[in-house]
Amino acid sequence: MLHINELTYRIEGRTLFERATVGIPEGHKVGLVGRNGTGKTTLLKLISGELAPDDGSITWPKRAKLGYVAQEAPGGPETLLEWVLSTDLERRDLLAEAETATDPERISEIHLRLADIGAHTAEARAARLLSGLGFDAAAQARPCSDFSGGWRMRVALASVLFLEPEFLLLDEPTNYLDLEGTLWLQSYLANYPHTVLIVSHDRDLLNVGIDAILHLEQARLSLYTGGYDTFEETRRERQRLQMKLKKKQDDERRRIEAFVNRFRAQANKAAQAQSRIKVLEKMRPIAASVEEGVAEIRFPQPAKQIASPLLRIEDGEVGYAADAPVLTNLNLRIDRDDRIALLGQNGNGKSTLAKLLSARIAPLDGKVFGAKKVEVGYFAQHQLDELNGGDTPYDVIERLMPEATVAERRARLGGHGFGADKADTKASHLSGGEKARLLLMIAGFSQPNLLILDEPTNHLDVDSREALIHGLNDYEGAVILISHDRHLIEATADRLWVVADGSVTPFAGTMDEYRTALLERRGRARDRGETREGDASSDTIAAVDHAATVDRSEARRQAAVAREKLAPLRKEAERLEARAGRIAAQIAKIDDALADGALFTENPERAQTYAAERGRLARMHTDTEDDWLTALDAVEQAEAAAKSAPVKSS
């Protein structure tokens, strides 16, 4: 069991942990969550011994191995497979000793120990891990130095998983993975036989195979049983009860203080007043559980509406060299309210397609229609490293709004989460999440018709990801999304394109079907004894029986008509939801007034008026909710129609 006892740690005068205590049972899979900057990575470093606490202790069983992905990714001449195998020092040393040992008894001990640790299956296990993380047999035989930093971090992750430590510490492992790798990791961790503590903002990962959520807030640690959704519900209920108790205590405190103030000077009441003073002194205040608000992520609506299609590609080819196209046979159409997620392994060409659609690179062949008239907002992870470290958010907005006043610029920044304390902070001192918010603001600044977001969530915490979902759903333009966050895709995208085998193919199923097909394909590959793990290519699509010939023009026409109907239906549903909320708030105010028993004796007419008004509002609330549910049904039917397409057998 991992014990954290009275942990205190400060950095640069800021307290990250203050007398934090928690115990993690052996074999549990625990997700460590909290806002950006609260100290999650620091806690992993404290547990691993990389940092020492100011006070308190962290203990676990002495003989247990602890695995933590190193900050330095491998980059030497060793092949990927060799490097992963070399990290098992015991196996390496035993094999070396077996080559030179002459004592029969020692030779026997060596081989028994090699059998115990599964040394003879190590290569196959390492190959499977690398395969699951996206390295096929050919890639496993290449040197580490051939790969970029992100791919090397996958190798570092594979080496830690290969060692199967009793305590596995993972810090945002999905930042280096595509959706396919993330799905594989979810499945792997769900079956991992030992204790796992994982820092992640991926809601789907935190709901699959996780036993508990460890929440870091206000320098304290709280352990909640269940996945992330259960944690949210439990925490929300705790907050509600805490606020209710606080209100009750505050009311009691005011009543006692009023009694003391009124009677402390009267001799016949002095003793009673004194006893109530002692009650006040013993009354421990209940802290208000007020959560720090998350700034909205908003995208301005398109400056002008352009008729569908926004973009159309015919027989397109794209790449970086004429003799080596990355993607070919591109026949794609993007309508003005499309929400498209690009799926497929890293390296298959998703980012290349995004650059083509955003006119950052030209096609090698074929035609792209509509590119000149469409305003595109573009976000990519590599832009975080390209920000000028000396620029502040105010410097950025000043260049974007040269004619605006200082107040207008700061108001714009404030709306994106950059208040007075952050607007003048240099980019080099901003967190990854703050840089991502700044780039998202820039991407939407020109009021584009099309937003292209390439892995926008890597540095955003869970709450900021939810803010991004709301921002995208409120945006009325088209969206192209590349992300390993399944929750984000399911909440914002209504079309899926698979980028694989050098081309792009629409996928007519859901994310659940995509995941099932992907896992089934990998299972078939294992059954055939293959070490190569391909991406979700044409085989994946065939697995869910979507290989029929589609009449593309008719399908697009019907889908476009259905999408045209969606916008007003969504707006009506949102209007009714907001109206129901306003009515509920009015009812709550009346309930507060009626809760005062003195009202019925001191002003019975007003009490009667309140009661009648409450009845009227309650009926109105019921009717509005019925209308809202009807509107939601209409939206769902329209969405289903937009996703469906006529199929003609070949």
Side-chain angles (χ1 to χ4, degrees):
M1 184 170 185
L2 176 66
H3 286 280
I4 299 174
N5 298 308
E6 300 289 317
L7 175 66
T8 298
Y9 184 78
R10 301 176 183 86
I11 182 170
E12 296 180 354
R14 179 168 164 242
T15 300
L16 293 182
F17 301 95
E18 185 173 12
R19 302 177 68 83
T21 298
V22 73
I24 297 177
E26 183 178 347
H28 272 50
K29 319 291 175 39
V30 180
L32 175 57
V33 302
R35 293 286 174 81
N36 286 340
T38 53
K40 300 184 296 296
T41 297
T42 300
L43 180 60
L44 296 191
K45 291 180 179 180
L46 287 164
I47 294 172
S48 68
E50 189 175 331
L51 297 174
D54 296 332
D55 198 6
S57 63
I58 300 174
T59 59
W60 65 86
K62 291 182 179 179
R63 294 187 179 181
K65 290 188 298 183
L66 187 143
Y68 183 37
V69 178
Q71 297 297 314
E72 292 294 326
E78 308 94 337
T79 68
L80 304 189
L81 188 59
E82 288 171 347
W83 196 87
V84 171
L85 289 170
S86 72
T87 58
D88 188 343
L89 301 181
E90 183 183 12
R91 174 183 174 274
R92 184 196 65 185
D93 294 343
L94 287 171
L95 288 174
E97 188 180 354
E99 295 291 327
T100 58
T102 56
D103 178 44
E105 189 172 329
R106 178 56 184 158
I107 292 173
S108 176
E109 290 175 354
I110 291 171
H111 285 284
L112 283 173
R113 182 57 185 162
L114 286 171
D116 288 342
I117 64 176
H120 302 297
T121 62
E123 188 168 332
R125 287 188 287 112
R128 280 198 299 271
L129 286 168
L130 286 167
S131 185
L133 291 170
F135 298 101
D136 60 22
Q140 293 175 26
R142 290 166 55 194
C144 295
S145 57
D146 279 5
F147 296 88
S148 64
W151 286 95
R152 292 180 195 175
M153 289 306 299
R154 291 191 188 205
V155 182
L157 174 61
S159 68
V160 172
L161 298 179
F162 172 68
L163 295 174
E164 282 198 4
E166 283 83 0
F167 288 98
L168 176 61
L169 307 180
L170 298 176
D171 191 357
E172 288 287 1
T174 59
N175 278 3
Y176 308 104
L177 303 179
D178 49 31
L179 180 62
E180 285 70 16
T182 300
L183 293 174
W184 175 87
L185 183 63
Q186 288 176 8
S187 178
Y188 183 87
L189 293 179
N191 297 297
Y192 191 74
H194 306 300
T195 306
V196 178
L197 180 60
I198 177 171
V199 175
S200 180
H201 298 303
D202 188 319
R203 181 187 289 263
D204 203 48
L205 176 61
L206 293 171
N207 276 320
V208 177
I210 293 294
D211 302 313
I213 296 294
L214 182 60
H215 186 221
L216 172 55
E217 184 182 39
Q218 297 178 355
R220 298 298 179 93
L221 293 167
S222 302
L223 191 65
Y224 295 77
T225 302
Y228 190 83
D229 288 344
T230 304
F231 152 73
E232 266 199 333
E233 293 173 8
T234 305
R235 182 163 172 260
R236 197 176 295 120
E237 181 62 17
R238 281 190 185 181
Q239 288 176 327
R240 188 187 70 80
L241 291 173
Q242 189 171 357
M243 292 302 291
K244 187 175 181 180
L245 285 172
K246 182 179 186 303
K247 182 180 183 301
K248 184 176 181 180
Q249 187 191 69
D250 289 345
D251 290 343
E252 179 67 6
R253 182 182 293 276
R254 281 192 294 269
R255 187 184 67 79
I256 294 174
E257 287 174 345
F259 182 94
V260 171
N261 292 334
R262 183 175 180 182
F263 295 112
R264 71 193 311 167
Q266 296 183 20
N268 62 335
K269 296 285 188 179
Q272 296 179 33
Q274 199 64 35
S275 68
R276 281 164 172 74
I277 290 174
K278 291 179 180 179
V279 170
L280 281 176
E281 290 172 349
K282 293 178 180 179
M283 191 181 290
R284 296 183 60 184
I286 298 173
S289 181
V290 179
E291 189 172 7
E292 184 183 351
V294 178
E296 294 180 343
I297 295 178
R298 295 178 293 182
F299 299 100
Q301 302 304 340
K304 59 178 181 179
Q305 290 292 345
I306 298 176
S308 295
L310 291 183
L311 292 173
R312 184 161 52 89
I313 303 176
E314 291 185 358
D315 300 320
E317 287 190 3
V318 63
Y320 306 97
D323 58 345
V326 176
L327 298 171
T328 62
N329 193 31
L330 298 177
N331 290 281
L332 305 170
R333 166 184 171 135
I334 300 173
D335 289 324
R336 71 180 190 181
D337 61 349
D338 266 343
R339 303 301 170 95
I340 301 168
L342 304 184
L343 308 179
Q345 284 189 318
N346 285 349
N348 281 1
K350 299 191 298 293
S351 294
T352 301
L353 177 62
K355 291 175 183 176
L356 173 65
L357 296 174
S358 62
R360 276 161 173 74
I361 56 175
L364 298 175
D365 198 4
K367 296 180 180 179
V368 179
F369 300 95
K372 293 183 179 179
K373 64 180 179 179
V374 175
E375 183 71 34
V376 177
Y378 181 73
F379 174 99
Q381 275 300 312
H382 66 80
Q383 293 174 323
L384 269 72
D385 300 323
E386 296 172 3
L387 279 173
N388 186 331
D391 276 353
T392 67
Y394 186 83
D395 293 332
V396 172
I397 203 70
E398 187 176 26
R399 288 194 291 270
L400 293 173
M401 302 173 65
E403 304 299 324
T405 65
V406 172
E408 289 171 336
R409 293 173 190 147
R410 291 198 178 275
R412 187 70 170 262
L413 287 171
H416 290 273
F418 296 96
D421 57 331
K422 293 295 182 182
D424 298 312
T425 300
K426 291 182 179 180
S428 59
H429 295 154
L430 294 175
S431 69
E434 288 162 346
K435 290 178 183 177
R437 280 179 171 273
L438 184 60
L439 290 174
L440 288 169
M441 180 191 75
I442 295 171
F445 184 82
S446 62
Q447 298 178 262
N449 310 99
L450 171 64
L451 272 176
I452 299 178
L453 306 181
D454 189 349
E455 294 292 357
T457 63
N458 276 1
H459 296 279
L460 298 179
D461 58 35
V462 179
D463 295 319
S464 294
R465 292 183 184 204
E466 289 299 315
L468 177 60
I469 288 172
H470 290 302
L472 290 176
N473 287 337
D474 289 340
Y475 173 66
E476 295 176 2
V479 176
I480 303 291
L481 180 65
I482 302 172
S483 179
H484 61 260
D485 189 324
R486 180 181 168 189
H487 175 64
L488 175 66
I489 292 174
E490 289 179 326
T492 59
D494 50 27
R495 297 179 66 191
L496 305 176
W497 288 356
V498 176
V499 183
D501 295 337
S503 194
V504 180
T505 309
F507 183 83
T510 64
M511 283 298 298
D512 279 336
E513 290 174 311
Y514 180 77
R515 179 181 184 276
T516 300
L518 186 70
L519 295 177
E520 286 177 352
R521 183 174 186 273
R522 289 186 167 180
R524 292 197 302 273
R526 284 194 297 272
D527 292 341
R528 293 195 299 266
E530 298 176 359
T531 59
R532 177 184 176 89
E533 292 280 350
D535 58 5
S537 60
S538 54
D539 287 346
T540 302
I541 298 170
V544 289
D545 197 24
H546 290 295
T549 301
V550 178
D551 185 339
R552 294 179 184 274
S553 60
E554 178 61 17
R556 288 169 178 159
R557 187 190 69 78
Q558 292 191 13
V561 170
R563 282 192 297 273
E564 288 289 337
K565 296 178 180 178
L566 259 178
L569 291 173
R570 281 177 176 158
K571 285 184 178 179
E572 177 63 9
E574 290 169 359
R575 184 188 69 80
L576 289 167
E577 182 182 12
R579 185 166 186 256
R582 290 193 297 271
I583 296 171
Q586 290 178 275
I587 292 173
K589 287 182 180 179
I590 292 176
D591 285 343
D592 287 342
L594 291 174
D596 183 2
L599 178 66
F600 291 89
T601 56
E602 296 174 1
N603 197 336
E605 292 182 0
R606 178 175 294 179
Q608 188 174 1
T609 301
Y610 279 164
E613 178 66 7
R614 192 196 186 287
R616 186 185 71 82
L617 289 171
R619 290 190 296 273
M620 187 185 299
H621 187 259
T622 300
D623 293 342
T624 303
E625 281 197 334
D626 288 343
D627 292 342
W628 175 44
L629 292 174
T630 301
L632 287 178
D633 287 340
V635 169
E636 290 174 1
Q637 291 173 14
E639 286 176 340
K643 292 178 183 177
S644 64
V647 177
K648 183 167 61 179
S649 300
S650 55

